[in-house]
Amino acid sequence: MIKLDFELKIAAVTEDFSEKEKLAQRNYDTKSIKLYRFEDDVLQLLQEGKESTITTQELNSRIMSTFDPNAATYCTNCDKIKCSLNSNIEGVTFNGGNNFTYRLESKHVYQKVAIYFRLFSESKYMRRPSGSFLTWNSESTTLYIWYDVKFKSKKSGSSEIFLVNSTNIFSNQLKPEYYVSSRGLEKYWVKSQFFGEVGGNHGYSPTGDYWQFNLCDIKDGY
């Protein structure tokens, strides 16, 4: 079976027909599925018995720049002004293979402090040795946030604002701010999807794991 993924520009190939559902769900993380670039002569490579031409790291790089409409949504720590998720993934270092726990802390928030009001999303990335209780250390990696935001200020004469975009950075923190003012919001609605690469320049996930998920919307007045 060959699936042509036009969004990621890859051909996913397997001889195991039981993997049909995984192909349909874009779950390529299995040894029985080989991955090739659109530029490859895939049939020739298969005839020669060649392995995948796309590494897990390259696959993740392609995925990270793509909004995933099927990403999981988390709502555990949520109310109408804040939704957050702290998630850990185990990995190893590039030099020596020491075990580390990598952590992504993500949230979107409507912050209200008397004369200071702010609407924003945020991802923070960090690490520490696996199994330790040491303080988390900031670490740089590739971070993405896709957002769909609308709001209206309480300022006189304000119009409703709509923001739909994405932002990314290679750093330990990504924090798009949608509204900052001494006046509050009459109404707001924030939707965010988050992506984080495990390891950055420090290490990697041996199983190819990465973060990509939605948080439940925060909204009031809509």
Side-chain angles (χ1 to χ4, degrees), residues 66-107:
T66 306
F67 179 86
D68 183 359
N70 299 313
T73 299
Y74 297 95
C75 305
T76 304
N77 299 306
C78 300
D79 53 37
K80 67 181 182 179
I81 64 170
K82 179 180 179 181
C83 189
S84 65
L85 175 70
N86 298 336
S87 177
N88 299 341
I89 293 179
E90 294 301 313
V92 295
T93 56
F94 288 120
N95 54 346
N98 297 316
N99 294 329
F100 269 77
T101 301
Y102 298 96
R103 183 179 183 90
L104 190 69
E105 297 184 353
S106 304
K107 61 185 177 182

Side-chain angles (χ1 to χ4, degrees), residues 184-204:
L185 291 173
E186 180 181 309
K187 55 183 179 179
Y188 60 89
W189 191 338
V190 179
K191 305 176 183 180
S192 302
Q193 183 170 117
F194 300 82
F195 173 92
E197 184 182 9
V198 175
N201 288 336
H202 179 263
Y204 64 99

